[in-house]
Short mmCIF file of all heavy atoms in Angstrom, two decimals:
data_model
loop_
_atom_site.label_atom_id
_atom_site.label_comp_id
_atom_site.label_asym_id
_atom_site.label_seq_id
_atom_site.Cartn_x
_atom_site.Cartn_y
_atom_site.Cartn_z
N GLU A 241 12.89 3.37 39.00
CA GLU A 241 12.37 3.58 37.67
C GLU A 241 12.18 2.20 37.03
O GLU A 241 13.12 1.32 37.11
CB GLU A 241 13.36 4.38 36.84
CG GLU A 241 12.99 4.63 35.41
CD GLU A 241 13.98 5.42 34.67
OE1 GLU A 241 14.57 6.29 35.28
OE2 GLU A 241 14.07 5.20 33.41
N VAL A 298 5.03 7.49 32.54
CA VAL A 298 5.44 7.99 31.32
C VAL A 298 5.32 6.96 30.21
O VAL A 298 5.89 5.78 30.30
CB VAL A 298 6.83 8.65 31.37
CG1 VAL A 298 7.22 9.19 30.01
CG2 VAL A 298 7.03 9.59 32.42
N ASN A 312 14.49 -13.37 18.48
CA ASN A 312 15.92 -13.27 18.87
C ASN A 312 16.71 -14.00 17.81
O ASN A 312 17.92 -13.86 17.61
CB ASN A 312 16.35 -13.84 20.23
CG ASN A 312 17.58 -13.24 20.70
OD1 ASN A 312 17.97 -12.14 20.48
ND2 ASN A 312 18.16 -14.06 21.24
N TYR A 314 16.83 -13.83 14.71
CA TYR A 314 17.19 -13.03 13.66
C TYR A 314 18.23 -12.04 13.98
O TYR A 314 18.82 -11.35 13.11
CB TYR A 314 15.92 -12.34 13.13
CG TYR A 314 14.92 -13.24 12.50
CD1 TYR A 314 13.67 -13.33 13.31
CD2 TYR A 314 15.07 -14.00 11.46
CE1 TYR A 314 12.69 -14.35 12.76
CE2 TYR A 314 14.14 -14.88 10.94
CZ TYR A 314 12.92 -14.97 11.66
OH TYR A 314 11.96 -15.83 11.21
N ALA A 343 22.04 -2.09 24.15
CA ALA A 343 23.15 -1.51 23.38
C ALA A 343 24.43 -1.65 24.27
O ALA A 343 25.56 -2.04 23.73
CB ALA A 343 22.86 -0.13 23.00
N SER A 372 15.17 -18.85 7.17
CA SER A 372 14.18 -17.85 6.46
C SER A 372 14.88 -16.73 5.81
O SER A 372 14.33 -16.12 5.05
CB SER A 372 13.10 -17.60 7.45
OG SER A 372 13.60 -16.72 8.45
N ALA A 375 16.27 -18.09 2.55
CA ALA A 375 15.41 -18.83 1.75
C ALA A 375 15.34 -18.38 0.36
O ALA A 375 15.44 -17.12 0.13
CB ALA A 375 14.04 -18.90 2.31
N GLY A 394 25.21 3.87 3.62
CA GLY A 394 25.51 4.54 4.91
C GLY A 394 26.67 5.32 4.74
O GLY A 394 27.19 6.05 5.77
N GLY A 401 22.55 19.23 -4.86
CA GLY A 401 21.93 19.47 -6.22
C GLY A 401 22.51 18.70 -7.44
O GLY A 401 22.73 17.44 -7.33
#
Side-chain angles (χ1 to χ4, degrees):
E241 181 179 325
V298 178
N312 200 44
Y314 299 110
S372 67

